[in-house]
Amino acid sequence: MARSIMEVAFLSAEKVEFDNVKLVKLFVGDEPDGKRDLGISILSMNVSEEALDEVWAACEGLDVLEPIRVTTEIERGSKNAGKFIVLHVEPVKAATAQAPKPTQQPTPTAKPAGTQPEQAKAN
């Protein structure tokens, strides 16, 4: 199985519970291809059983069309088509806020050791 991380627009999350079965489905949007989609291309992905509660909680505070980073595992489906299984969701803005910022080296203002200031000349 292959893993993939993608940045897409959040549309919705849907939770279904019946007969001791709990499912979460994530709906995201991608750039339209201009042939089949004109406004936004809608993708739906199932959430891994191990990540149901985590993904649901991560989606609760998201706004529609907010950029999110989705970690998926790609499983082989019918007719060798890939099925995206969601493992993790995080808002892009939170991920970039936590990223370490590059530190800027201070510019040296002191003169290198071993050099003496010029003597004042008497005229």
Side-chain angles (χ1 to χ4, degrees):
M1 286 183 246
R3 284 207 177 182
S4 175
I5 297 174
M6 63 182 104
E7 289 185 9
V8 290
F10 172 75
L11 295 178
S12 178
E14 179 181 82
K15 185 192 298 190
V16 178
E17 295 182 45
F18 61 92
D19 296 335
N20 297 326
V21 175
K22 191 174 176 181
L23 302 171
V24 173
K25 189 170 273 211
L26 180 67
F27 296 91
V28 298
D30 197 8
E31 295 292 322
D33 64 6
K35 296 175 185 173
R36 295 174 303 234
D37 307 304
L38 294 176
I40 192 168
S41 177
I42 299 172
L43 307 170
S44 72
M45 296 179 270
N46 292 325
V47 178
S48 168
E49 278 187 43
E50 295 81 31
L52 290 175
D53 295 328
E54 175 195 341
V55 169
W56 182 258
C59 292
E60 282 183 318
L62 296 174
D63 293 324
V64 174
L65 297 179
E66 181 175 339
I68 59 173
R69 186 168 290 124
V70 181
T71 303
T72 62
E73 196 164 72
I74 303 167
E75 291 182 353
R76 185 170 292 191
S78 63
K79 298 182 183 178
N80 288 330
K83 293 185 341 184
F84 291 99
I85 307 297
V86 177
L87 303 174
H88 179 75
V89 171
E90 65 185 26
V92 170
K93 65 182 177 192
T96 54
Q98 293 174 357
K101 294 180 180 161
T103 57
Q104 186 175 5
Q105 297 293 336
T107 55
T109 55
K111 293 189 177 194
T115 60
Q116 298 295 322
E118 275 190 47
Q119 299 277 338
K121 296 182 182 179
N123 290 352

